[in-house]
Amino acid sequence: METYNNTLCVTHAELLDGIITSANLKNLLRADRGSRVQVVRSGGNGRTALYAVNSLPPKYREAVRVRYGSEAEQAKARAFVDRIIRDMAAEVFYQQWKIDGVRGLTTEQRTLLANSANILNALREILDDAAAEQRKVGRRNRIVMSEWWEAAAEVVQRASDVYPHILPSSGRTLQRKYKAYFANGARNYDSLISGKYGNKSAAKVATEEQVAWITQICKFHTNLNCAEVAERYNTVCDAKGWKPITRETVWRIAQKYKLEIAPWKYGKSDFENNLTMQVKRSKPTSPMLFWSIDGWTANAYYVGTRGGKKNAYQRLTMVVVIDTFNNYPIGYAIGDHECVDLIKAALCNALDHTRELFGMRYKPDQLQSDHYAVGTLKPTYELVTSHFTPPRVGNAKAKPIERYFSRVNSELLKEYFPDNWSGRNITTDPRTQPNREWLNANKKKFPDRDEAYRQLQTIMEDERKLKLADYMAGWEGMAPERRLPMAATDYLLAFGETTGRLNALAPSGLHIKLLGERRTYDSFDIEFRRHTDKRWAIKYDPSDLSEVLAVSEDGAYRFPLQEKHVQPMALSDREYGDYDELQRVFDYNDNLRRHVAGFHEKSIEIIREGFAQDSLLDHPDVGNEYITGMLTDFKGQNKDPKSRKRLGYGDDAEEVAYEETKGAGGKLTTYDLY
């Protein structure tokens, strides 16, 4: 109600709020002039329609006055509302107040309590003003306080339209609330807080032992409901002498201790995924920084066989490697089920695709996979990447490829091939799944396995075409030092095929039969020549047989081998490059001879230094470097120089012996490694 142009009016909404129906109001507005309701202000354009209270029929007029009071009462209420001032200290108090130091008040509760404090403060101001006025005139008005509090309670209730509150409608009760609020002359904000907010009344669950019993029962792995928990807890109450509880009490306790109960009630994975703090990450700034790999049972049916019988509801599995720079499918492999070989095939496809895109194979800086067969696959993963970082077990949200599969299923597979689309996972709302009756009626039209394979292949290749330009632009903008070429040895070790046989090294190299053809491989690494006693397994790439990897039987030694160049016997058959390859062999052998000679000379020098250091000993043979039989002279002799050294002939005798080694042609004969 409000006064408009000195006329007490009621609004359209107030009339329809249980006083008069909309139909009756329309009839009154259309009635003859003598009984028509007076419209003081019409509604529309943001205005509220106002009707004169005195123009209403008597029964409606009385109902309005009972509901909203007389004009004088409304005026008193408006005057009281004008005296209400916000108490900021009260708002801060209720904002910071906690139940058991944890749960705070709701916004609605804080508003009701703060308004109640503001209203009591206004009542205090009115009483103080009245007392001051009485002292000024020097006499006391005869006021019955019980009547004053009843009138105050009525005004307070009318003020609730503007300031909703929790103050009582009884004058006597309002007076008690007022006294408790201003006890000891201060504003006691907590006196307005009901005991039910903080469980201040006698609680059935009050001790730590009782809470411990309830929470432990809630943790039971069978996931008991509140009624079952209460039933089991009440058996403990009988023995302990505690008050029994209801399922409502269990629910409140379970909500309060949700964090502590969740890992046991719902499982560690659910707790980690839904209650622990999650990390927010950004996408990589360049390609080849982060790959994610996982398997997916494609949601597309095909007609196959199972158990020797035809089955129309078979599905293929696809292992996909995405580069999370723009979710480019860098590699994929399709098979009947996820296995170690299918995962390796997808990784191999990814690395081969980098050679197609960039001219040579590159490996990602980081690779993420789930924990499937991780014990077997970890060596392969570590060869493929610099950092292998599997997510925590059960943390599917950490794998971007999970979201990628969801998009492929919903946006691509469903749109490309709707006739054999199998829907989403079985826990999805059935109303979002394909019509099962339609699938059964049309299952004979499902494709065979080869066609289903081509469907998945089409989707992957289209994904590559769609994202390739953006992916290559990111690669071009990538700093060269961040690119990681993959060594051929690592690729062959991880993905190379093997002959299944062991091979021995011959002077002419390793002779191996690959793909039905005899080939010869060798290495220009001197270290490889040290291990002629070992037998070697060969790992090779069928698409490139120019290089293979030799792995010793025990796996301790690995050498990349190049296919041996075949030199023509006749000089006239030589072609471009033949001479360079021949010279390469000569250079290698010269280097090998120098290495052997250098090692020999170094060994002799070390031994001579050793004898020189021990020459002060008294034994007559000490100092004779030939005494051990380890050193020889230029003719390869040890016995004669040892005797000469022992008899004291000295180095001159050695020189004479050297002169006597002339051959038949009068020339000196020596052995020269060069």
Side-chain angles (χ1 to χ4, degrees):
M1 292 177 64
E2 63 178 274
T3 301
Y4 186 80
N5 291 337
N6 297 320
T7 301
L8 182 62
C9 301
V10 63
T11 66
H12 182 271
E14 289 171 339
L15 279 177
L16 297 184
D17 188 16
I19 294 177
I20 190 172
T21 65
S22 177
N24 287 340
L25 179 59
K26 289 180 180 178
N27 290 333
L28 290 175
L29 293 173
R30 289 196 300 265
D32 295 337
R33 183 174 300 276
S35 60
R36 182 183 298 177
V37 173
Q38 179 184 355
V39 180
V40 178
R41 184 181 68 190
S42 60
N45 296 325
R47 297 188 305 273
T48 301
L50 297 177
Y51 309 105
V53 173
N54 291 331
S55 68
L56 295 172
K59 64 176 182 178
Y60 297 126
R61 189 186 316 146
E62 183 62 24
V64 168
R65 285 179 175 160
V66 170
R67 173 74 65 85
Y68 302 110
S70 64
E71 182 177 3
E73 291 168 344
Q74 288 291 332
K76 289 181 181 179
R78 288 194 297 274
F80 178 71
V81 166
D82 291 340
R83 302 197 64 155
I84 297 175
I85 300 174
R86 290 179 62 185
D87 187 343
M88 300 305 297
E91 293 184 11
V92 172
F93 178 86
Y94 297 125
Q95 182 74 32
Q96 297 177 348
W97 191 84
K98 303 289 185 184
I99 299 174
D100 297 333
V102 180
R103 178 168 60 89
L105 297 167
T106 66
T107 301
E108 181 183 5
Q109 290 169 344
R110 292 197 301 269
T111 300
L112 293 174
L113 291 170
N115 287 343
S116 300
N118 295 337
I119 290 172
L120 292 177
N121 293 340
L123 291 176
R124 176 67 175 268
E125 184 180 351
I126 292 172
L127 288 173
D128 288 346
D129 289 348
E133 185 65 26
Q134 289 175 356
R135 288 193 297 271
K136 184 186 301 184
V137 298
R139 62 185 180 84
R140 184 178 181 86
N141 293 331
R142 296 182 178 273
I143 299 176
V144 179
M145 292 305 297
S146 60
E147 295 178 359
W148 188 90
W149 280 108
E150 287 296 337
E154 185 175 348
V155 172
V156 165
Q157 293 307 309
R158 296 192 183 283
S160 63
D161 292 339
V162 181
Y163 291 98
H165 57 78
I166 59 169
L167 295 175
S169 58
S170 167
R172 181 174 296 182
T173 309
L174 177 63
Q175 185 179 14
R176 287 199 300 267
K177 182 69 70 173
Y178 175 87
K179 290 181 178 179
Y181 178 76
F182 285 108
N184 301 320
R187 298 177 182 179
N188 301 306
Y189 299 123
D190 57 346
S191 67
L192 296 176
I193 299 176
S194 172
K196 66 180 181 181
Y197 290 157
N199 293 324
K200 294 180 181 179
S201 59
K204 294 180 180 179
V205 180
T207 67
E208 290 184 355
E209 184 181 4
Q210 291 171 319
V211 171
W213 271 104
I214 293 177
T215 54
Q216 286 302 315
I217 297 173
C218 288
K219 291 178 183 178
F220 200 56
H221 70 278
T222 55
N223 203 350
L224 302 173
N225 60 39
C226 292
E228 292 169 331
V229 172
E231 180 182 356
R232 286 160 175 75
Y233 175 77
N234 288 338
T235 61
V236 179
C237 293
D238 294 340
K240 294 280 191 177
W242 297 336
K243 294 180 180 179
I245 62 175
T246 63
R247 62 183 181 181
E248 287 78 10
T249 302
V250 172
W251 185 86
R252 288 195 295 270
I253 297 296
Q255 290 299 309
K256 182 176 180 179
Y257 295 97
K258 181 178 181 179
L259 282 175
E260 292 77 8
I261 294 172
W264 287 267
K265 187 175 179 66
Y266 304 113
K268 182 180 178 182
S269 295
D270 183 88
F271 173 78
E272 296 288 347
N273 290 332
N274 296 308
L275 293 177
T276 60
M277 184 179 293
Q278 305 298 311
V279 178
K280 185 175 178 61
R281 302 184 188 277
S282 61
K283 282 191 173 184
T285 56
S286 300
M288 302 298 294
L289 296 183
F290 187 94
W291 285 5
S292 183
I293 180 172
D294 201 1
W296 172 55
T297 301
N299 293 334
Y301 291 131
Y302 72 90
V303 179
T305 58
R306 179 181 296 168
K309 297 182 180 180
K310 183 176 289 188
N311 187 297
Y313 295 110
Q314 298 282 80
R315 294 191 293 168
L316 291 171
T317 294
M318 182 164 58
V319 175
V320 181
V321 186
I322 63 168
D323 191 318
T324 56
F325 167 71
N326 66 342
N327 288 344
Y328 181 79
I330 192 74
Y332 66 92
I334 304 170
D336 293 315
H337 60 90
E338 187 172 5
C339 60
V340 170
D341 289 339
L342 194 64
I343 293 172
K344 285 187 174 182
L347 284 171
C348 184
N349 179 262
L351 294 167
D352 288 344
H353 191 52
T354 63
R355 184 171 61 177
E356 296 171 3
L357 296 178
F358 312 133
M360 62 180 293
R361 291 189 184 96
Y362 286 88
K363 63 182 182 179
D365 180 69
Q366 184 179 351
L367 175 68
Q368 178 195 71
S369 78
D370 58 16
H371 290 260
Y372 174 80
V374 70
T376 302
L377 288 167
K378 187 175 181 180
T380 302
Y381 290 147
E382 291 178 341
L383 285 171
V384 166
T385 183
S386 301
H387 304 93
F388 172 53
T389 56
R392 188 188 68 249
V393 176
N395 188 14
K397 291 188 291 186
K399 297 189 294 183
I401 196 168
E402 295 283 355
R403 298 185 291 276
Y404 177 77
F405 284 146
S406 178
R407 174 186 168 272
V408 168
N409 181 41
S410 299
E411 298 183 16
L412 301 180
L413 189 58
K414 178 182 178 181
E415 296 299 324
Y416 277 39
F417 310 106
D419 290 346
N420 62 318
W421 184 63
S422 65
R424 300 177 178 86
N425 60 66
I426 59 174
T427 60
T428 305
D429 186 348
R431 291 171 295 183
T432 65
Q433 300 282 47
N435 187 324
R436 180 61 59 178
E437 294 179 357
W438 188 95
L439 291 174
N440 284 327
N442 292 271
K443 61 184 179 182
K444 292 182 180 180
K445 300 178 183 178
F446 290 170
D448 60 14
R449 186 185 185 282
D450 291 341
E451 180 60 27
Y453 186 100
R454 285 191 290 272
Q455 287 180 346
L456 298 180
Q457 194 174 42
T458 298
I459 288 176
M460 287 294 98
E461 293 303 323
D462 283 359
E463 271 283 273
R464 283 179 171 179
K465 292 176 183 177
L466 178 66
K467 299 176 179 179
L468 180 59
D470 183 40
Y471 191 71
M472 292 303 294
W475 173 259
E476 294 299 327
M478 185 178 183
E481 61 270 14
R482 302 182 74 184
R483 301 173 181 176
L484 303 174
M486 185 169 193
T489 54
D490 289 343
Y491 177 83
L492 291 172
L493 185 62
F495 306 108
E497 297 185 16
T498 182
T499 62
R501 297 184 297 273
L502 296 175
N503 304 270
L505 177 63
S508 56
L510 278 176
H511 302 285
I512 310 161
K513 190 174 184 180
L514 295 179
L515 304 180
E517 184 180 351
R518 177 70 63 176
R519 296 172 180 269
T520 302
Y521 293 88
D522 211 334
S523 173
F524 287 91
D525 187 346
I526 292 177
E527 188 67 23
F528 184 55
R529 283 287 183 276
R530 295 183 185 278
H531 305 289
T532 56
D533 59 317
K534 289 181 169 49
R535 292 170 62 80
W536 304 91
I538 300 301
K539 307 203 76 173
Y540 65 96
D541 178 4
S543 65
D544 183 8
L545 297 178
S546 62
E547 184 175 10
V548 299
L549 181 67
V551 183
S552 62
E553 190 172 3
D554 60 2
Y557 298 95
R558 304 165 188 166
F559 291 96
L561 308 180
Q562 291 77 40
E563 187 171 12
K564 204 150 189 175
H565 183 82
V566 180
Q567 287 287 341
M569 291 184 182
L571 294 177
S572 61
D573 288 338
R574 278 188 178 176
E575 297 179 353
Y576 179 78
D578 287 341
Y579 176 79
D580 292 338
E581 289 295 330
L582 182 62
Q583 187 62 43
R584 189 181 180 194
V585 174
F586 290 161
D587 292 344
Y588 171 79
N589 288 333
D590 287 345
N591 187 41
L592 179 61
R593 294 187 187 101
R594 284 192 295 270
H595 169 75
V596 173
F599 182 84
H600 178 69
E601 292 174 359
K602 184 177 181 180
S603 298
I604 292 175
E605 184 64 27
I606 291 173
I607 292 174
R608 289 184 187 276
E609 291 177 359
F611 275 116
Q613 292 173 1
D614 296 339
S615 61
L616 298 178
L617 298 178
D618 296 332
H619 194 281
D621 287 333
V622 172
N624 186 349
E625 62 266 35
Y626 299 101
I627 198 69
T628 62
M630 294 174 61
L631 302 183
T632 62
D633 63 2
F634 62 93
K635 295 188 295 182
Q637 298 296 317
N638 171 263
K639 189 173 183 179
D640 289 342
K642 179 176 65 176
S643 298
R644 287 195 298 271
K645 191 76 173 179
R646 180 172 55 81
L647 295 175
Y649 290 162
D651 295 334
D652 294 339
E654 186 174 351
E655 293 295 332
V656 172
Y658 182 84
E659 294 294 336
E660 292 175 352
T661 59
K662 294 181 180 180
K667 295 182 179 180
L668 295 177
T669 59
T670 61
Y671 178 73
D672 187 0
L673 278 174
Y674 301 100

